[in-house]
Amino acid sequence: MNFTTEIRSLYKPVQPTVRQSADNVIYTEFLPDIKLQPFLYCYWQLKTTKELSEQFNYRVVADGCIDIYFELNNPQENYVMGFCKKFTEFPLDHTFNYVGLRFLPTMFPQIFRINAMELSNRYEHLQLVVPYLSNFISNSFNEKQKQEEIKVLLDNYFLELIKKIEFDNDNRLYNAIDIILQNFGVLDVEKDLNTGISQRQLRRIFEFYVGDTAKTFSKVIRFQNILRAKPSKQSLWQNKLFFDAGYYDQSHFIKEFKNFYGVTPSKAFGR
């Protein structure tokens, strides 16, 4: 395992914190071992602190990553969710305790040799995709475990796993990703991603390692950069953020943002 990229230093994907039933639902992110951080952005936990009075709808926004997740109360139910080019909503029960692993872009296919495109815009039982990892989760976790124990189990497993991985350090792919991240997704893909390969080859390697085209990935990065900026409802329009971020006009910005987030910018950033 001799493999490093600039992705982590250039990109910090955002999932908006839980707002509904905030007193009774907690979402936290915690870091893996430092040796795993070039591959895994974070571990996360979404759980209820007491039984809810109604079903909880959890919204996941587009972030360019692939996640594995499972219910700590029933770890045999473990899943992988691929790259998504729109938001996804999960209707959850009145009580739940989910644990997840968020892989930085390209890292899930690097580690498991799975074509990311086959998982795009959907979630799948992990047993059908990486059965040995699914078995590890099923047999190692239970509802009594705290975050520190969960972290140690996951760290130990992945530290051993990555020792055996032959990573494909394709400079054409990672140079293109670096350019996209450095420009916050605001670029002309055909002109600015001149990394020594044809558009067809670029599309093929992006689809395999990321899960969609470089153009779609750039749009997600642009959206994520706006999320991280956390503009106020007022400054959103006064500063013409939509124009600075490369959108043609306000309506185009609103339409794309709603596709990735599930609500309009005004609602998302309303104070």
Side-chain angles (χ1 to χ4, degrees), residues 205-218:
I205 60 175
F206 260 83
E207 286 179 344
F208 184 91
Y209 286 107
V210 175
D212 211 305
T213 64
K215 184 175 182 178
T216 300
F217 180 68
S218 297

Side-chain angles (χ1 to χ4, degrees), residues 67-268:
D67 281 48
I68 289 171
Y69 62 95
F70 57 94
E71 231 293 359
L72 205 58
N73 297 303
N74 184 19
Q76 292 75 24
E77 290 293 310
N78 46 69
Y79 301 88
V80 55
M81 183 174 179
F83 176 102
C84 291
K85 58 183 178 183
K86 67 172 296 181
F87 76 95
T88 308
E89 282 194 328
F90 293 92
L92 304 181
D93 291 334
H94 295 70
T95 60
F96 48 83
N97 190 353
Y98 283 94
V99 170
L101 304 78
R102 183 163 301 131
F103 292 82
L104 284 163
T106 76
M107 295 307 163
F108 186 89
Q110 285 279 13
I111 294 171
F112 300 109
R113 289 294 180 262
I114 302 294
N115 185 340
M117 191 69 177
E118 295 177 1
L119 298 170
S120 290
N121 304 306
R122 68 190 186 95
Y123 61 92
E124 183 61 85
H125 285 278
L126 187 59
Q127 184 68 39
L128 300 176
V129 182
V130 190
Y132 58 88
L133 178 55
S134 176
N135 292 338
F136 162 72
I137 291 171
S138 298
N139 297 323
S140 302
F141 293 92
N142 63 70
E143 71 280 0
K144 296 179 181 178
Q145 291 164 336
K146 304 299 183 185
Q147 260 184 26
E148 187 53 42
E149 187 177 353
I150 293 168
K151 170 183 159 55
V152 169
L153 284 167
L154 291 171
D155 279 353
N156 289 343
Y157 181 85
F158 279 95
L159 285 169
E160 284 301 312
L161 182 62
I162 63 171
K163 288 179 184 177
K164 309 167 188 174
I165 303 300
E166 291 283 338
F167 287 95
D168 181 7
N169 193 2
D170 190 330
N171 288 331
R172 301 170 304 173
L173 170 65
Y174 288 104
N175 287 345
I177 289 175
D178 285 352
I179 292 169
I180 291 169
L181 296 178
Q182 287 165 3
N183 287 278
F184 308 109
V186 184
L187 74 169
D188 184 324
V189 168
E190 292 188 8
K191 292 180 180 177
D192 298 334
L193 295 186
N194 184 16
T195 60
I197 56 174
S198 67
Q199 287 296 313
R200 176 182 287 185
Q201 287 176 301
L202 188 69
R203 183 186 186 98
R204 180 181 59 80
I205 60 175
F206 260 83
E207 286 179 344
F208 184 91
Y209 286 107
V210 175
D212 211 305
T213 64
K215 184 175 182 178
T216 300
F217 180 68
S218 297
K219 288 181 178 180
V220 171
I221 298 304
R222 177 169 62 174
F223 160 74
Q224 278 283 322
N225 185 55
I226 292 169
L227 281 190
R228 183 156 289 281
K230 294 182 180 178
S232 68
K233 187 175 178 180
Q234 186 178 17
S235 69
L236 191 65
W237 308 121
Q238 285 183 345
N239 296 341
K240 290 190 167 43
L241 181 63
F242 62 89
F243 184 74
D244 294 339
Y247 292 95
Y248 303 121
D249 52 40
Q250 183 175 317
S251 62
H252 180 217
F253 168 53
I254 293 172
K255 181 179 179 181
E256 189 167 290
F257 187 96
K258 191 173 181 181
N259 178 68
F260 288 140
Y261 195 112
V263 298
T264 63
S266 294
K267 189 168 183 180

Side-chain angles (χ1 to χ4, degrees), residues 14-20 27 58-59 230 261:
V14 175
Q15 284 296 330
T17 53
V18 174
R19 292 178 180 176
Q20 309 155 270
Y27 172 79
Y58 180 55
R59 181 186 296 124
K230 294 182 180 178
Y261 195 112

Side-chain angles (χ1 to χ4, degrees), residues 2-14:
N2 183 14
F3 180 70
T4 58
T5 73
E6 296 297 317
I7 293 177
R8 187 178 190 93
S9 63
L10 294 171
Y11 185 47
K12 295 175 174 55
V14 175

